Amino acid sequence: MADKSHPYPAPVYVIGGGPGGLATAAALAERGIRTMVLERSGAVGASWRGHHDRLRLHTTRRRSALPGLPIPRSYGRWVARDDLVRYLERYTDHHGLEVVTGVAVSRVERAPGGAGWLLRATGGRELVSPTVVVATGRNHTPRLPDWPGRDTYTGPLAHARDYRAPGPYRGMDVLVAGAGNSGAEIAVDLAEGGAARVRLAVRTTPHILRRSAAGWSAQSACALGRRLPRRLADGTARTLARATVPDLAAQGLPRPATGLHSRARQGAYPVLDTGLIAAVRSGRVEVVAAVEALDGDKVLLADGERITPEAIIAATGYEPGLAGLVGHLAVLDDHGRPRAHGPRTVASAPGLHFTGYTDPVSGTLRELAIDARRIARAVARTAAAGAGRG
């Protein structure tokens, strides 16, 4: 049973009303610590509301629930985007979370006197607390490569964040640049939704896993692999892939030479199949080399081929977008990601926590739930120590 006896001098401010922020707020509230979630948009789960219509979780319903509330069985094993949004709304109500929408935090600074944190927010607000949790998420700012000739490209060019459904691309020749999970799903959606031709530009061949095999989810297999020595985990994943995924080398997707878990530690995560294998084998999605440059209405590929798609969708990832918020506090690494995560804080920035800036193979929502409980324990421990000194 959680200890709710810890006094706390001010609300903990959580920046971001997505799954990570809500889960952390609920875990803190369970320990009797008042928490206020600051969400810049008009509703919780804003980033999930903006995903494409086809989206379903790659992680199972049971392993995607946040602390204190299961996801309804009626949502199925692979939860759809709209159902997840409904779950986040219900989660907020169920825990009675204090969420203030329409408030954007632009900067976190050290509070006057150096103890705690000062948040500068919409409308000239200045909010002070010993503890702040940054949960704006790793998919914050779309990353669009600075391809040579991009500014002079004459065709439609959109980031994957702006893609919703295949309707606007019906009958068109479309190039999807980027073969991560978003790129793979969008390519399949376009092929099934009436695009005349769909090409998928691949720079580094991804590991491809069946979302589920013999009732065993890829998430479960990956979570187990994290506990094994890397060589053993890589070997196990390789054996599983060879048993369940056909060789697509002839279609341009050879099996990667580097192991799945070794690649994951470098930030390259597997693609979970939601139709890509069948689409590539049938030719409905054609695999081509990576985009090197744009030239008028043409695209130059890494193998020297020049193609003329009618539209490009760049599934090229995101930046965490934390530089303006906390970049001046020496808490980010050279890639703009937090140097400390979850319950840990940078020694020079006690009380400043980050959650949701990793992409674990065991499932983001699962790890957000674990992080939330750990952050709450750390904050409660600090509060208790402060009360003891007082």
Side-chain angles (χ1 to χ4, degrees):
M1 183 175 177
D3 182 355
K4 300 185 179 183
S5 63
H6 300 303
Y8 213 69
V12 171
Y13 290 109
V14 176
I15 306 173
L22 298 177
T24 303
L28 286 165
E30 174 65 18
R31 291 179 175 270
I33 298 174
R34 184 187 171 200
T35 306
M36 184 176 295
V37 179
L38 306 175
E39 168 55 44
R40 64 176 180 170
S41 74
V44 300
S47 64
W48 288 94
R49 295 172 191 272
H51 283 303
H52 56 275
D53 296 350
R54 178 189 180 94
L55 181 76
R56 285 183 176 272
L57 294 182
H58 293 151
T59 53
T60 62
R61 178 192 71 252
R62 186 172 63 84
R63 288 178 175 264
S64 300
L66 302 179
L69 184 68
I71 297 176
R73 290 177 60 87
S74 60
Y75 289 0
R77 192 181 192 197
W78 312 108
V79 179
R81 179 200 65 185
D82 290 349
D83 284 336
L84 182 65
V85 170
R86 279 191 282 271
Y87 169 72
L88 295 178
E89 292 172 340
R90 181 181 173 192
Y91 189 85
T92 302
D93 293 339
H94 176 81
H95 288 288
L97 301 182
E98 192 172 352
V99 179
V100 183
T101 59
V103 175
V105 178
S106 58
R107 189 173 173 89
V108 178
E109 301 175 356
R110 299 185 189 280
W117 303 100
L118 168 67
L119 277 59
R120 298 193 182 278
T122 304
R125 292 177 177 86
E126 294 184 350
L127 309 170
V128 178
S129 176
T131 303
V132 171
V133 181
V134 181
T136 54
R138 60 187 174 81
N139 291 348
H140 183 274
T141 306
R143 182 195 305 126
L144 194 60
D146 190 19
W147 291 307
R150 193 185 80 186
D151 293 341
T152 60
Y153 179 66
T154 58
L157 170 59
H159 190 271
R161 188 177 73 168
D162 300 317
Y163 177 86
R164 294 293 178 270
Y169 299 93
R170 190 168 288 116
M172 295 178 65
D173 179 344
V174 186
L175 174 68
V176 179
N181 279 294
S182 292
E185 289 187 12
I186 289 172
V188 172
D189 200 30
L190 288 165
E192 295 179 352
R197 185 178 191 182
V198 180
R199 284 175 279 201
L200 181 64
V202 179
R203 185 171 299 278
T204 302
T205 304
H207 284 273
I208 302 175
L209 295 178
R210 298 285 189 185
R211 191 167 58 177
S212 178
W216 180 256
S217 71
Q219 179 188 15
S220 298
C222 288
L224 175 62
R226 291 183 68 189
R227 301 189 181 97
L228 300 175
R230 194 185 307 182
R231 287 184 63 181
L232 179 57
D234 283 343
T236 302
R238 187 177 300 111
T239 299
L240 178 64
R242 289 185 181 278
T244 58
V245 177
D247 186 358
L248 300 174
Q251 288 80 28
L253 288 176
R255 299 185 192 278
T258 308
L260 185 152
H261 289 272
S262 295
R263 287 268 294 272
R265 295 194 182 192
Q266 300 168 3
Y269 298 94
V271 168
L272 300 185
D273 178 50
T274 57
L276 180 67
I277 293 172
V280 168
R281 294 185 79 184
S282 67
R284 290 178 297 153
V285 172
E286 305 169 44
V287 178
V288 298
V291 175
E292 286 293 308
L294 307 179
D295 181 14
D297 64 344
K298 294 182 172 53
V299 178
L300 174 64
L301 303 179
D303 60 1
E305 183 180 4
R306 298 171 74 88
I307 62 175
T308 312
E310 294 175 89
I312 301 174
I313 298 173
T316 45
Y318 297 81
E319 303 287 350
L322 292 172
L325 186 68
V326 296
H328 53 288
L329 298 173
V331 294
L332 304 179
D333 64 18
D334 293 340
H335 301 286
R337 295 186 295 259
R339 290 168 48 204
H341 196 268
R344 297 182 297 108
T345 61
V346 174
S348 61
L352 183 60
H353 295 268
F354 295 85
T355 185
Y357 297 94
T358 62
D359 188 12
V361 293
S362 54
T364 298
L365 291 173
R366 175 179 180 272
E367 296 302 319
L368 288 174
I370 294 171
D371 258 1
R373 296 185 180 99
R374 289 175 175 171
I375 290 171
R377 281 199 299 270
V379 173
R381 191 180 305 120
T382 301
R389 287 193 297 270

